Amino acid sequence: MIKKILVANRGEIAIRVMRSCKEMGISTVAVYSEADRTSRHVFYADEACCIGPAPSKESYLVIDNIIAAAKHFDADAIHPGYGFLSESAEFARRCAEENIIFIGPSPEAMIAMGDKISARETMIAAGVPVVPGSQEDLQTLERVKEVAEEIGLPVMLKATAGGGGKGMRLIRHKNEIEDAYNTARSEALASFGNDIVYIEKFVKNPHHIEFQILGDNFGNVIHLCERECSVQRRNQKIVEESPSPMMTPALRAKMGEAAVQAAKAVSYSGAGTIEFLVDDHQNFYFLEMNTRLQVEHPITEEVLGVDLVKEQINIANNLTLRLRQEDVVQRGHAIECRICAEDSDNNFMPSPGIIKQLTEPLGIGTRVDNYVYEGYEIPMHYDPMMGKLIVWAVTRAYAIKRMRRVLYEYKITGIKTNINYLRRIMDTNDFLRGKYDTGFIEKNSDFLLKSTYESTKDETEDIAIIAAYMDYILNLEENTPKTADNRPVSRWREFGKRNVLRI
Amino acid sequence: MEIHIGDRITNVELVSKDDNKVVISIDDKVYDLDVVMAENGVCSILHNGKSFNAELKRSESGKSYIVNTLFNTFPVNIVDSQAKYLRNRKKDDSDEQQDRIFSPMPGKVAKVLVNEGDSVEAGQSVILIEAMKMQSEYKVKKDCKIKKILVQQGDTIDGDQTLITLE
């Protein structure tokens, strides 16, 4: 049985994993870069070890350093979190060679799912629907025209070696085929040294719905229902919810079964996620599999009452799955918002810096997974996500109201955050009605980025003026030096003492 | 005192203040209030028995605020005599001068795109700054010449640090 786990990650996910470890009586080892000595995951762990300089490439991504730390502290297992080395087959293989349990799937399953084309082939063989498209290399323009005809326009022409939007062309009309074929090929050749292209049906503004799955080392696989992740900005998820407002029990059963088949096709063990595109007619297509814990895993935990990290550890301990498919029943509704250190009023510019004040929301149905604290300096080297706000309530409508409340209660100063942007998402009509797809952010961008304030001339507005005015006056008073060495440490605290605590 | 909230311009005066009991006039309206500043930048105001909470985010200058009340966000600007003076002076300087390139946030220099002595056109990017896995381009506002480049690729920079001077 695992007694000590090294968490090969930082920030909120490192703490999230360690919390479950603490509950299970497992001791924890943190690793950190030179920029992360003050990150809370370092204090939270039982043991901690510096593994290199600030850039991830020289610390969190250095397999040798992490293995050395695990050996030094005698950890029996490594939990990779998400990002960094979590989907590195090489890392998983190396752990096995060093007799350290890697809490995740086998390197073979990672490889099979890591390459988009081979994953697509595996899924077709397993009978999981994929986006309709060509299965062979398209060598001639004639063949491209034929296949495009077969599938039906619009289609997406893609380079097999492609990525990051390069070598990709959308074809809406017949007369665009030739041009798209030539430009996509030359772009692919220039970027990837390979001009092989294939065609996929273009799904416009699909829903992005994913299924959580769990598999053990004995071939048992179950799904833990869906997460709706269509609120995305530049392919980055911002808000997720479960259940999906567009889901029906019949579709859930169908997609869940497909997800289980997909995982079984690669003998998957551990926690994983199958991502699907879903169109308006409830047709769904396999997109990719994430062979790790997802950022948005807490909404599944809240709706099902399951601790996914504990399940991962149990599976790594070679236990059979604790749950059967029929035990998995959704209750109520959960929403997650990603809190990021970025300036949503200024083109989402990253905003690292020192947190001056922090008040986190509390109360019924509230969960905050984060790692920051007052006085902490958010380093500029890593992702701007500083935490996640998760609410649970019995219905979707209540959950949205709860999210609005907790976003109001969340107060951070010193750095810029996207909290106001998230508040506006919770006020967007399409979101309230649950009628949205991946086109949501673009469609509602005017409303979401509304930064000009329109005066209402009501009582609340006057109150806001008064509050600012009073603060300004007090600030003036306090900044007028009485004696040079008598400056208050915190003007709030000082004022509080003078005016609030004097009963 | 002149206070702006969005495009509304108000005249705010402190009529009297006795501990928490504050009387304030906004234009012609007089508010009789109980005001308490609590910790964490929250101002509690009682008005005719109604309880309001305002969360204050003060800018570094101490004169512009973002005020959050329940489900509302207000931009408030205090225009005191100093701000008025600066505003008038700015009007005299017929157009805005840009004599340096700086980043509002800390980061790392990903790439310097120009050389000292280069002539650059309005809107041309001169430096790439990376922070939190995102790159931002910084551009010049007007046609000008690169005077001095004070940083090089890979340098770690602070917010508001001068990176390039222009002439």
Side-chain angles (χ1 to χ4, degrees), chain B residues 134-161:
Chain B
M134 281 236 325
Q135 291 197 342
S136 315
E137 285 182 27
Y138 289 83
K139 298 172 172 161
V140 292
K141 287 181 188 148
K142 302 199 317 187
D143 293 1
C144 59
K145 210 168 165 186
I146 304 294
K147 195 165 159 190
K148 217 164 171 70
I149 297 172
L150 304 164
V151 289
Q152 53 184 0
Q153 194 170 324
D155 281 3
T156 303
I157 54 154
D158 286 330
D160 204 37
Q161 178 183 337

Side-chain angles (χ1 to χ4, degrees), chain A residues 233-234 238 338-351 384 415-425 441 445-452, chain B residues 57 73 134:
Chain A
R233 193 185 149 268
R234 292 190 189 161
I238 307 171
R338 300 189 184 194
I339 311 291
C340 297
E342 60 188 20
D343 185 355
S344 45
D345 292 330
N346 188 10
N347 201 22
F348 297 85
M349 172 125 39
S351 175
I415 55 161
K416 302 243 167 54
T417 70
N418 64 339
I419 290 178
N420 272 336
Y421 189 74
L422 295 167
R423 283 183 187 157
R424 287 194 287 264
I425 290 178
I441 293 290
S445 60
D446 285 347
F447 177 78
L448 293 172
L449 292 172
K450 184 184 71 178
S451 57
T452 47
Chain B
K57 291 186 185 177
T73 299
M134 281 236 325

Side-chain angles (χ1 to χ4, degrees), chain A residues 253-472:
Chain A
K254 243 166 93 180
M255 290 180 72
E257 181 52 31
V260 167
Q261 288 312 319
K264 281 187 170 165
V266 291
S267 310
Y268 197 84
S269 140
T273 297
I274 315 283
E275 297 192 338
F276 292 103
L277 296 181
V278 186
D279 69 16
D280 289 337
H281 310 289
Q282 304 207 332
N283 298 308
F284 63 91
Y285 310 104
F286 171 85
L287 181 65
E288 62 177 358
M289 178 168 192
N290 293 307
T291 56
R292 55 171 163 85
L293 204 61
Q294 300 274 91
V295 174
E296 60 274 21
H297 75 275
I299 54 175
T300 297
E301 296 185 322
E302 295 302 316
V303 168
L304 298 182
V306 172
D307 179 335
L308 285 170
V309 173
K310 273 186 195 161
E311 302 302 333
Q312 282 186 302
I313 294 171
N314 284 340
I315 292 164
N317 265 328
N318 230 7
L319 300 176
T320 50
L321 284 185
R322 195 177 57 83
L323 295 165
R324 290 164 304 168
Q325 190 64 60
E326 54 268 33
D327 301 329
V328 176
V329 182
Q330 291 168 301
R331 55 182 249 295
H333 200 94
I335 304 176
E336 175 185 272
C337 281
R338 300 189 184 194
I339 311 291
C340 297
E342 60 188 20
D343 185 355
S344 45
D345 292 330
N346 188 10
N347 201 22
F348 297 85
M349 172 125 39
S351 175
I354 297 170
I355 296 179
K356 285 194 192 141
Q357 302 168 332
L358 176 68
T359 307
E360 287 172 357
L362 293 167
I364 181 170
T366 311
R367 167 173 171 182
V368 183
D369 276 22
N370 82 1
Y371 78 105
V372 299
Y373 51 90
E374 247 171 53
Y376 175 66
E377 178 169 7
I378 298 179
M380 61 167 190
H381 307 278
Y382 313 106
D383 198 89
M385 196 184 80
M386 52 197 217
K388 300 168 324 202
L389 196 49
I390 303 111
V391 297
W392 179 91
V394 286
T395 66
R396 184 171 189 271
Y398 285 173
I400 292 173
K401 285 180 185 168
R402 185 160 290 163
M403 185 54 92
R404 296 180 77 213
R405 166 178 73 81
V406 299
L407 283 169
Y408 165 71
E409 289 181 5
Y410 211 136
K411 299 180 206 304
I412 302 173
T413 65
I415 55 161
K416 302 243 167 54
T417 70
N418 64 339
I419 290 178
N420 272 336
Y421 189 74
L422 295 167
R423 283 183 187 157
R424 287 194 287 264
I425 290 178
M426 291 301 132
D427 287 340
T428 308
N429 213 355
D430 287 345
F431 189 83
L432 295 175
R433 291 189 305 137
K435 297 257 182 246
Y436 65 90
D437 52 39
T438 45
F440 172 79
I441 293 290
E442 203 187 328
K443 185 183 165 203
N444 292 290
S445 60
D446 285 347
F447 177 78
L448 293 172
L449 292 172
K450 184 184 71 178
S451 57
T452 47
Y453 170 78
E454 279 161 33
S455 171
T456 51
K457 296 193 177 164
D458 59 6
E459 187 182 13
T460 331
E461 188 176 290
D462 284 352
I463 292 293
I465 293 173
I466 290 163
Y469 180 62
M470 289 307 294
D471 184 78
Y472 169 77

Side-chain angles (χ1 to χ4, degrees), chain B residues 59-75:
Chain B
S59 71
E60 291 301 325
S61 74
K63 286 169 199 168
S64 72
Y65 288 87
I66 298 293
V67 184
N68 289 321
T69 63
L70 188 59
F71 305 137
N72 274 310
T73 299
F74 304 93

Side-chain angles (χ1 to χ4, degrees), chain A residues 1-8 67 70 74-80 91-105 217 269 312-318:
Chain A
M1 291 300 245
I2 295 168
K3 292 196 181 66
K4 190 190 274 190
I5 293 177
L6 179 140
V7 182
I67 297 286
D74 231 354
D76 351 78
I78 293 181
H79 194 299
F91 183 51
R93 193 174 290 137
R94 187 63 199 285
C95 289
E97 283 166 16
E98 304 281 352
N99 277 322
I100 299 166
I101 299 168
F102 176 82
I103 301 177
N217 297 336
S269 140
Q312 282 186 302
I313 294 171
N314 284 340
I315 292 164
N317 265 328
N318 230 7

Side-chain angles (χ1 to χ4, degrees), chain A residues 50-115:
Chain A
C50 181
I51 50 161
S56 323
K57 268 185 281 180
E58 297 167 43
S59 48
Y60 295 107
L61 291 172
V62 183
I63 293 177
D64 283 342
N65 293 3
I66 291 169
I67 297 286
K71 297 200 122 176
H72 176 77
F73 288 102
D74 231 354
D76 351 78
I78 293 181
H79 194 299
Y82 53 68
F84 295 131
L85 292 169
S86 61
E87 292 185 277
S88 161
E90 192 196 339
F91 183 51
R93 193 174 290 137
R94 187 63 199 285
C95 289
E97 283 166 16
E98 304 281 352
N99 277 322
I100 299 166
I101 299 168
F102 176 82
I103 301 177
S106 66
E108 292 74 27
M110 281 190 194
I111 290 167
M113 285 302 190
D115 179 88

